[in-house]
Amino acid sequence: MAKGRTEIEVGADGVALITIINPPVNSLALDVLRSLKESYDEALRRDDVKAIVVTGAGGRFSGGFDISAFGGIQEGKGEQVNAGHISIDIVTNTLEGARKPSVAAIDGLALGGGLEVAMACHARISTSNAQLGLPELQLGIIPGFGGTQRLPRLVGLAKALEMMLMSKPIKGKEAHELGLVDAIVQPGELVDAARAWALDIAAFRKPWIKSLHKTDKLEPLGEAREILTFARAQARKQAANLQHPLVCIDVIEEGVVSGPYAGLLKEAQSFEMLLHSDTCKSLVHVFFAQRATTKVPGITDLGLMPRKIKKVGILGGGLMGSGIATALILSNYPVILKEVNEKFLKGGMDRVKANLQSRVKKGTMTQEKLEKTLSLLTGVLDYESFKGVDMVIEAVIENVSLKQQIFADLEKFCPPHCVLATNTSTIDLNLIGEKIKSQDRIVGAHFFSPAHIMPLLEIVRTHKTSPQVVVDLLDVGKKIRKTPVVVGNCTGFAVNRMFFPYTQSALLLVDHGLDVYKIDRAITKFGMPMGPFRLADLVGFGVALATGSQYLQSFPERCYKSMLIPIMVDDKRAGEATRKGFYIYDGKRKASPDPEIKKYIEKSRSMAGSAPDPEIMKLSDKDIVEMIFFPVVNEATRVLDEGIAVKSSDLDIASIMGMGFPAYRGGVVFWADSLGANYIHTRLEAWTKKYGNFFKPSAYLAERAAKGLSLSAPASQSKSKSRL
Ligand SMILES: C[C@H](O)CC(=O)SCCNC(=O)CCNC(=O)[C@H](O)C(C)(C)COP(=O)(O)OP(=O)(O)OC[C@H]1O[C@@H](n2cnc3c(N)ncnc32)[C@H](O)[C@@H]1OP(=O)(O)O
């Protein structure tokens, strides 16, 4: 069966309307592209056609080339794509080179290949809210249907580079100001306006412009070279491990220096090369994994519709509570913020205001919008108004008995349908809900700090949480633009549990002789935003010790207990907040290594009874990365085996969005599979013999290694069973 098609309809005015049809986003599958060419051929053949309009069905022009075809192409299965052929034969020769003019009528979105098709038309009419962009770099590739050549010629080099390198679409209104589109009209008038424009071109009343031949927007060569040099430096600085942004700049440069046809050829070769790169495979995996997090077997396949959440109550206006309140009011949810006294309440309300004010300062929010948004927030000191809320999110300090009391109160004051959510990051939800009857309404809403900025929302369900409550929270999560990941209940849930060995292995290596800063350097070079020691400083040693003790209680057989942090806390070094941790900090939060930490390390080593180990001291960066991350992978396999996460791709997204694992490595489990279960198992076994049970491979890992299975293969392929 064909995957998508186009339809052609010729009107009495002599305009052929070609509509791209491939729901939900009219992606350009190979069948669609073939059909587009056939429709063009028909329009060019027919004498009753004077001009052509291309549009997309259902209010969306096109979301670009069909990304779901990438996997097959990369594995050499199914129909192979020849992007160069499509770019030259269909887009350049058939569309742009046609002897009849065509106009793109853009509503909704024109992204990637979609915008490339539109740029090959001789004019573009758009609605003001349509999104136009070339986001291919977010998939590890570059535009492959001529976008690297046409966009700079339509909007200038500097803007085109920004749009491609940042993968950031612009709205129709801005596209019009830049000259990417020729007119903005209301959605209802779009096709008629495009028809009239196309006829005007055919009658030479409007210019017949081929984007590829335009030169007026291109900067003079000297200036262009400067822009390209600057862009290269920025790309290297922002993502030192990535090749494709630099390739994109090279391809654009080829077009500027040697002309658009040379540029098109280089684009085609580079696209082909990048399509098969590990970076592209990883980023395409991330694209689909992110969209799969909201598909939860046994929850989202029951036909349940989310209930309307009209008002949300938040307990606690600290850093987390105020961040959550900010996220909610920004998406138009009325919020009641409860604190225990006037002083704390004012502090919480001020924090929300400051979060919004920083948007005003950055120019992304007007003062008027700030006032309107803030009016959705009400501060209270008692539970009186909680009888009108549909969801509460508790965000007080991590104290079990306090939380138990709060939930007992909430059960009394909130209506019986109200969702009872807690933002705890580690405490077992069954413990929190121990004293109440409505345990089916208890759910975890674990936000990451700062809650109004970080994209992940870990939704924690217990065995008793009703699917309806999870569906409700998933809906709120999506509405506040978070990526929700649904996980089971255990100490640390999925993200923090997977990552507790991250700091512990780093501490183990230091106790065995490795330099703190060498570890952080190796880990940031690998692509993490910061190494384990810089992260510990940021989080604060108080939190690190409190959560560390929870893991020690829950998983004593596989925790590494270093004395280094407690020794430093004894000396009043508690991380960035005290300006002294593993690093020292100046007033501008700049971290510098501190030679003083040597004395704490020596004390920690002597308490651990470990002497510097020459083998550890000469570890390469690759070995350091593996000794830090293989224990993380090991814990991830336990999380999978216990059914805490239902699919490995959820852990990939959780590791990327919760911990900053580099997306271009596909997430923790995807990366581990690229190395192989057997390799990881062998290394962990060897380290277990030398350094103890902290490294002991899980049964899941051992089984997959023995059977030659990937870690992400579904449980049905091995005998491991999910327990949720
Ligand atoms: C040669 C060319 O230069 C190469 C290319 O064109 S590569 C493609 C470039 N285009 C892109 O990167 C755009 C990718 N898509 C998106 O950013 C977003 O999906 C969007 C802005 C189009 C729509 O967002 P939104 O409305 O939130 O819906 P979203 O859930 O993301 O997508 C809806 C469905 O369409 C699918 N989809 C979106 N874009 C797709 C594409 N280009 N190919 C195949 N499927 C696509 C999604 O996987 C999802 O499927 P599902 O319902 O089965 O999970």
Side-chain angles (χ1 to χ4, degrees), residues 319 533-543 572-587 589-591:
L319 197 65
F533 296 108
R534 179 69 186 84
L535 180 67
D537 275 2
L538 182 73
V539 171
F541 292 175
V543 174
K572 302 202 167 41
R573 293 179 81 114
E576 196 181 322
T578 55
R579 288 213 184 168
K580 273 183 176 187
F582 289 102
Y583 296 79
I584 39 177
Y585 297 85
D586 64 15
R589 297 187 57 207
K590 187 177 173 302

Side-chain angles (χ1 to χ4, degrees), residues 245-273:
L246 297 172
V247 172
C248 184
I249 298 170
D250 290 348
V251 169
I252 294 171
E253 182 170 48
E254 177 76 6
V256 172
V257 175
S258 310
Y261 291 108
L264 282 186
L265 291 178
K266 194 173 170 89
E267 181 193 89
Q269 285 159 2
S270 306
F271 180 88
E272 182 63 25
M273 182 264 293

Side-chain angles (χ1 to χ4, degrees), residues 24-25 27 60 63 65-67 113 116 135-136 138 143-144 291 295:
V25 301
S27 66
R60 290 176 147 182
F65 189 71
D66 177 16
I67 304 168
E116 292 174 294
E136 283 89 341
Q138 76 185 353
R291 277 148 187 89
K295 291 163 190 147

Side-chain angles (χ1 to χ4, degrees), residues 333-650:
Y333 281 102
V335 169
I336 297 176
L337 180 66
K338 181 182 174 305
E339 256 301 353
V340 287
N341 60 39
E342 287 287 355
K343 186 173 156 225
F344 286 1
L345 183 59
K346 183 176 178 313
M349 304 284 282
D350 285 350
R351 267 187 283 277
V352 177
K353 195 169 178 186
N355 290 341
L356 298 182
Q357 263 161 349
S358 86
R359 289 177 179 238
V360 175
K361 252 189 231 149
K362 282 189 207 132
T364 54
M365 182 182 254
T366 61
Q367 185 64 29
E368 192 192 348
K369 175 81 179 141
L370 178 147
E371 308 289 342
K372 213 172 145 208
T373 307
L374 210 54
S375 71
L376 292 168
L377 183 69
T378 313
V380 298
L381 293 174
D382 57 34
Y383 284 111
E384 257 326 288
S385 45
F386 275 58
K387 55 180 177 291
V389 299
D390 307 299
M391 177 177 281
V392 287
I393 302 175
E394 166 274 309
V396 305
I397 52 164
E398 295 283 63
N399 175 319
V400 178
S401 52
L402 174 65
K403 286 184 195 270
Q404 285 177 338
Q405 181 55 49
I406 286 176
F407 277 85
D409 291 340
L410 288 171
E411 194 177 37
K412 261 189 261 154
F413 287 97
C414 300
H417 69 271
C418 180
V419 174
L420 305 175
T422 168
N423 177 55
T424 181
S425 59
T426 34
I427 305 177
D428 187 326
L429 262 60
N430 288 322
L431 208 58
I432 294 178
E434 204 174 61
K435 302 212 165 127
I436 67 167
K437 288 190 213 81
S438 332
Q439 293 184 359
D440 57 332
R441 289 194 275 142
I442 293 223
V443 67
H446 180 209
F447 288 82
F448 292 74
S449 183
H452 56 298
I453 292 171
M454 292 287 279
L456 187 66
L457 170 62
E458 203 175 25
I459 297 182
V460 188
R461 57 174 164 152
T462 71
H463 289 277
K464 293 176 195 151
T465 310
S466 85
Q468 180 66 58
V469 162
V470 178
V471 167
D472 294 343
L473 190 52
L474 269 169
D475 188 52
V476 171
K478 274 196 270 178
K479 291 204 168 110
I480 60 173
R481 294 190 209 97
K482 302 287 173 200
T483 297
V485 174
V486 179
V487 301
N489 179 36
C490 67
T491 303
F493 315 129
V495 179
N496 286 344
R497 173 159 164 202
M498 205 175 19
F499 269 90
F500 83 81
Y502 180 66
T503 315
Q504 290 190 1
S505 48
L507 287 164
L508 183 149
L509 290 177
V510 170
D511 274 351
H512 285 83
L514 204 57
D515 176 54
V516 161
Y517 308 114
K518 188 172 174 190
I519 294 176
D520 271 7
R521 273 197 305 276
I523 297 297
T524 43
K525 232 168 103 188
F526 174 74
M528 292 294 283
M530 55 186 85
F533 296 108
R534 179 69 186 84
L535 180 67
D537 275 2
L538 182 73
V539 171
F541 292 175
V543 174
L545 288 180
T547 49
S549 76
Q550 303 242 14
Y551 297 120
L552 199 61
Q553 251 177 38
S554 301
F555 318 113
E557 74 294 348
R558 56 176 190 273
C559 276
Y560 180 75
K561 193 170 182 307
S562 158
M563 289 311 290
L564 185 51
I565 292 182
I567 293 168
M568 289 167 79
V569 170
D570 281 348
D571 208 19
K572 302 202 167 41
R573 293 179 81 114
E576 196 181 322
T578 55
R579 288 213 184 168
K580 273 183 176 187
F582 289 102
Y583 296 79
I584 39 177
Y585 297 85
D586 64 15
K588 288 183 185 146
R589 297 187 57 207
K590 187 177 173 302
S592 312
D594 182 5
E596 281 233 328
I597 63 161
K598 238 184 173 168
K599 67 177 189 220
Y600 308 113
I601 292 171
E602 272 161 20
K603 198 165 167 195
S604 172
R605 278 180 194 153
S606 89
M607 287 172 89
S610 55
D613 172 345
E615 258 187 58
I616 292 279
M617 288 168 78
K618 61 176 196 309
L619 286 179
S620 66
D621 283 358
K622 173 177 166 289
D623 287 330
I624 295 173
V625 165
E626 293 186 353
M627 285 190 90
I628 302 264
F629 274 110
F630 285 0
V632 173
V633 171
N634 203 18
E635 198 59 30
T637 62
R638 291 190 179 97
V639 169
L640 275 174
D641 199 22
E642 290 167 28
I644 298 297
V646 285
K647 47 188 180 313
S648 66
S649 62
D650 284 352

